[in-house]
Amino acid sequence: MPIVHGGVPSPFVKKTCAFLAEKGVAYELRPLAPFPKTPELLAMNPLGKIPIYQDGDLMLPDSSAICAYVERVEPRPPLYPSDAKAYGRALFIEEFADTKLNEVLGSIFFQRIIRPNFFKQEPDEAALKKTLDEQVPQVFDWLESRIESPNGIVGGTFSIADVAVGAQLANFRLAGEKVDAGRWPKLGRWSETTLARPSFAKLLDAGAFPR
Ligand SMILES: N[C@@H](CCC(=O)N[C@@H](CS)C(=O)NCC(=O)O)C(=O)O
């Protein structure tokens, strides 16, 4: 059975686990923290990050590389659009989720969940408010303009774009936040639909900081 090395508080581990669940691939989740940068961690991933996917003699880091690899191993159901332009759009939305969206929503998860649980510190409420008031609207406005259907951001079909954005929105929810559906109706509906899928519901049920 393949192994996912990592911890589920990570949105990139969530992305990998949700993708595997959508594919019906069974795996073992083996806890691994990205700090400290032990020789063992760096031997598995020279970037010292999680997740890392172990499939037989293959040790593969990076959620994007992992999902693309699993798509080849287990092509059904397809999670990358076959149309070339839709494929390009889905890959960029995945990239947006993994970078900008992760930076903005990740800082909320950090304040609300990581700081109290890991560092035993109170959240910085001023920093939180600034992110929620100034940065969240920018990323949500852009997503609102991209969502083609509650069933799939790209072309109305569930794909890697939904998995990547869903992983970030799952942590947003676990940090106690909800998409304001009055302001972002498409994103609000898409978020409800996506996070209710069994692949994400299971991750949400586990809570923000499963040990
Ligand atoms: N592009 C990578 C990003 C992985 C990543 O940044 N993981 C975080 C945990 S959420 C990490 O390991 N951070 C440790 C570090 O930045 O040193 C992916 O998609 O897997």
Side-chain angles (χ1 to χ4, degrees), residues 10-12 15 34-35 37 47-51 61-64 98 102:
S10 159
F12 299 103
K15 176 183 161 194
F35 302 104
K37 306 292 179 200
L47 302 176
K49 297 184 181 198
I50 53 168
D62 193 279
S63 64
S64 301
D98 290 357
N102 177 59

Side-chain angles (χ1 to χ4, degrees), residues 10-19 22 63-64 67 79-80 89-102 105 143 153 158-172 187 190 194-195 199-200 203:
S10 159
F12 299 103
V13 173
K14 282 192 176 70
K15 176 183 161 194
T16 301
C17 293
F19 192 93
E22 292 285 344
S63 64
S64 301
C67 293
L79 289 178
Y80 291 79
R89 294 205 303 281
L91 289 186
F92 180 68
I93 289 166
E94 179 189 18
E95 176 64 12
F96 177 82
D98 290 357
T99 55
K100 186 71 186 169
L101 195 59
N102 177 59
L105 303 189
L143 283 172
I153 299 176
F158 190 83
S159 76
I160 183 67
D162 302 281
V163 175
V165 178
Q168 299 294 334
L169 267 291
N171 270 7
F172 186 63
L187 182 60
W190 173 88
T194 303
L195 297 184
S199 55
F200 280 110
L203 296 169

Side-chain angles (χ1 to χ4, degrees), residues 25-36:
V25 173
Y27 61 91
E28 177 197 342
L29 181 64
R30 199 170 286 180
L32 177 68
F35 302 104

